[in-house]
Amino acid sequence: MLSLHQLRCFLATYEHGSLTAAAEELGYAQPSVSEQVRGLEKTLGVPLFRRVGRGVVPTTLADTLRPYAEQAIAAAEEARRAVQSAVSLESGTIRFGMFGAARLYAGAQIVADVLERYPGVRVELIGQHSNEVQEQLRRGHLEAAMIAVTSVESEGMTVIPVARDELVYISADPERLTSPVTAARLAKASLIMPETTWRSSDSVRIVLRRFLHEAGHNPQTRIEVEEVETAVDLVGRGFGDSVIPRGGAEQLIPQLAPHVGYASLRPKQYDVMAIVHRAGAVLSPAAQLMIELATKHIQSITEPV
């Protein structure tokens, strides 16, 4: 009989490539994790790992098992949350995933609204980037989230677009903002871009790469930073220009760089935001509440889809 304990040990070993590292993550002794993995192999009648040096390498059979193990653990988490959902709306913890830009627009207001309705709850707003949030969803650590749809891998997920935010060119030089910015002009700009850790999968950059490639240009940056706040600050200091979602520009420019302005791209480009949860999941009342509030606030700031 398969057990969730075995599957958790299997997944940790699969992800780390090491029984020792898996044990450290789970807080167990290494022999205990090894025993659970062996028991799972015995139950299934197949080898799941090969020892290589001090680590282990998953077999093709382990690759086959992995998504089912993730689904089983996620289902167990959903069952636990469903049982506790009534308690959570009174005195428990409400967790919801939001990528950085969306949290910037509406995160504080969403938390305030939750606490106004349910002053006894504890709120966790999780995530820096859409890819990070999606990984938390995939592993069952979150029920639902709002993330940028451009970078979503929809397999096994229900994706519901709710809003789109125009991407705008921001600059401290008014001369550069007198007309919409074409791909040719953007390709020559000295750009300061945020989300450098996620540069290959960031939704804004994906849209901009497509925008430039379709016109026969390649994207180039002068300065790479992590936070959009840092990018706006540097634009205000005159070190270059940037392209960020309009909602972010309207939130941050008055605070960080009041003399900076923005202009549209030509043709206009958009970052689309969506509510995402595991396909077929039965969402708890807490998750439904967060979806309702997040959607309402994002649609009040950006363009509803």
Side-chain angles (χ1 to χ4, degrees):
M1 175 74 74
L2 300 182
S3 73
L4 291 175
H5 185 40
Q6 288 176 332
L7 293 177
R8 287 193 180 93
C9 291
F10 160 74
L11 283 176
T13 304
Y14 185 99
E15 290 167 5
H16 291 287
S18 163
L19 290 163
T20 301
E24 289 176 358
E25 178 189 310
L26 296 171
Y28 302 142
Q30 189 270 345
S32 175
V33 173
S34 180
E35 180 183 353
Q36 292 300 317
V37 171
R38 283 198 305 271
L40 182 59
E41 290 177 323
K42 183 176 180 180
T43 298
L44 295 173
V46 297
L48 296 172
F49 298 99
R50 291 183 292 106
R51 288 193 173 275
V52 177
R54 295 184 177 181
V56 292
V57 176
T59 65
T60 56
L61 296 168
D63 294 334
T64 301
L65 175 63
R66 181 186 64 84
Y68 295 100
E70 290 174 343
Q71 290 170 20
I73 290 172
E77 282 295 306
E78 288 169 9
R80 181 186 61 79
R81 283 193 293 260
V83 172
Q84 296 179 342
S85 61
V87 175
S88 295
L89 278 177
E90 298 298 333
S91 60
T93 296
I94 295 178
R95 306 178 82 240
F96 187 71
M98 289 189 81
F99 73 107
R103 194 174 63 254
L104 174 68
Y105 304 168
Q109 189 57 56
I110 292 169
V111 173
D113 283 357
V114 170
L115 295 178
E116 183 178 348
R117 295 192 195 187
Y118 302 100
V121 302
R122 178 175 177 271
V123 181
E124 293 184 6
L125 216 53
I126 308 295
Q128 291 291 331
H129 191 271
S130 290
N131 292 49
E132 178 190 19
V133 175
Q134 186 175 352
E135 178 65 13
Q136 295 260 23
L137 283 168
R138 187 179 68 81
R139 298 182 66 177
H141 296 167
L142 289 170
E143 278 191 271
M146 175 175 284
I147 58 182
V149 73
T150 311
S151 57
V152 170
E153 293 182 12
S154 59
E155 184 178 356
M157 297 287 174
T158 294
V159 180
I160 307 168
V162 294
R164 68 177 189 171
D165 201 0
E166 182 187 355
L167 302 184
V168 294
Y169 184 92
I170 67 170
S171 177
D173 184 349
E175 294 287 324
R176 300 173 190 166
L177 305 174
T178 55
S179 62
V181 178
T182 63
R185 280 182 57 198
L186 184 63
K188 297 175 182 177
S190 182
L191 289 179
I192 303 165
M193 293 301 295
E195 307 290 2
T196 186
T197 293
W198 308 95
R199 68 180 75 180
S200 64
S201 57
D202 176 58
S203 61
V204 171
R205 297 202 194 209
I206 290 171
V207 172
L208 290 182
R209 282 197 294 269
R210 185 168 59 227
F211 174 61
L212 289 166
H213 288 161
E214 288 175 353
H217 302 285
N218 289 315
Q220 298 182 35
T221 58
R222 180 188 181 194
I223 301 172
E224 294 275 343
V225 296
E226 292 288 2
E227 304 290 342
V228 66
E229 293 93 334
T230 306
V232 172
D233 191 357
L234 289 170
V235 170
R237 294 168 187 251
F239 289 108
D241 300 335
S242 188
V243 177
I244 64 174
R246 181 171 177 169
E250 292 176 345
Q251 293 282 318
L252 295 175
I253 286 174
Q255 304 171 38
L256 301 175
H259 59 290
V260 166
Y262 62 82
S264 296
L265 302 177
R266 180 185 290 162
K268 290 184 177 182
Q269 304 293 312
Y270 296 90
D271 195 18
V272 179
M273 287 167 276
I275 295 295
V276 182
H277 57 78
R278 293 179 68 88
V282 178
L283 298 177
S284 70
Q288 293 175 36
L289 171 66
M290 295 302 285
I291 289 171
E292 172 200 332
L293 294 174
T295 300
K296 180 183 76 172
H297 286 300
I298 288 296
Q299 289 185 338
S300 71
I301 296 168
T302 58
E303 182 181 333
V305 174

